[in-house]
Amino acid sequence: MTTPVCTYASNQSSHPSSYPSFSSYVRTRGTSLMRTARSLTANPCDAEDLLQTALAKTYLAWDRIEDHRALDGYVRRTLVNTRTSQWRKRKVDEFACEEVPETDVSPAADPAEAQALHDAMWRAVTRLPDRQRAMVVLRYYEDLSEAQTAELLGVSVGTVKSAVSRALVKLREDPELSPVR
């Protein structure tokens, strides 16, 4: 809702002839009423919607309002009541129930522990014999298949399988990689 700059002077007295029509009132007081609507909502678009709703209600009651000096109070009360109604009617996404639907979430791993494990693993890999180390790095760090690793190293697929198997046994037995109990 775009309103022109407010031309209403604060020392100007309001009387029934000050606002001969509803549109005259909105043009004159729209900016001030928008500030009130903005103070009731966090979102500027919601404030515009709120003001439009309040003005529509005011328009319907325009002929019943006897004292046009009280129009600002009437519209402000309508703004507050409309906002309160919207707040009460809001959709509730949470429902009370006997069982908690959330699953047990384990706490996030400490990055320092993850880095320590990574470093320990790399030290254990560097302690493997050269040929086993090369095969483990190609298979698990470079994510090559057994056939690709065999082709790259010029050995058979069976050799890669047996060498990687022996390397994994050594890594499982490495005391630096055993879990702390």
Side-chain angles (χ1 to χ4, degrees):
M1 174 177 165
T2 307
T3 56
V5 176
C6 181
T7 58
Y8 179 78
S10 60
N11 61 359
Q12 191 178 15
S13 66
S14 295
H15 53 81
S17 63
S18 295
Y19 306 113
S21 70
F22 177 76
S23 58
S24 160
Y25 173 73
V26 173
R27 276 192 303 275
T28 305
R29 300 298 297 147
T31 303
S32 174
L33 296 171
M34 179 53 80
R35 279 194 301 269
T36 302
R38 286 291 307 271
S39 69
L40 294 172
T41 63
N43 183 331
C45 296
D46 290 342
E48 288 179 8
D49 291 344
L50 177 63
L51 181 57
Q52 286 179 358
T53 302
L55 288 174
K57 291 178 180 182
T58 303
Y59 179 77
L60 293 174
W62 188 258
D63 292 335
R64 294 189 317 263
I65 300 172
E66 294 176 10
D67 186 6
H68 281 211
R69 290 176 295 186
L71 279 172
D72 282 353
Y74 182 89
V75 175
R76 284 191 174 97
R77 173 52 55 195
T78 305
L79 282 167
V80 170
N81 290 347
T82 302
R83 181 65 183 135
T84 302
S85 285
Q86 290 172 345
W87 176 79
R88 286 180 180 155
K89 291 177 186 176
R90 78 186 189 283
K91 181 180 176 186
V92 177
D93 291 332
E94 295 182 15
F95 302 97
C97 60
E98 290 185 28
E99 293 182 28
V100 179
E102 293 85 13
T103 58
D104 290 337
V105 178
S106 60
D110 182 6
E113 288 180 22
Q115 185 62 46
L117 179 60
H118 179 270
D119 293 344
M121 177 58 95
W122 189 248
R123 284 190 301 275
V125 168
T126 59
R127 287 191 293 272
L128 291 172
D130 292 340
R131 188 171 174 169
Q132 287 180 356
R133 180 175 54 241
M135 291 182 191
V136 166
V137 168
L138 291 173
R139 282 285 292 126
Y140 297 106
Y141 283 85
E142 297 297 324
D143 201 27
L144 296 180
S145 68
E146 292 168 340
Q148 291 169 323
T149 302
E151 183 180 334
L152 191 64
L153 295 176
V155 295
S156 70
V157 173
T159 302
V160 171
K161 286 181 179 183
S162 63
V164 167
S165 176
R166 284 191 302 274
L168 292 177
V169 168
K170 288 182 181 179
L171 290 173
R172 284 187 196 106
E173 293 172 352
D174 191 296
E176 195 176 347
L177 296 178
S178 63
V180 179
R181 295 181 188 196

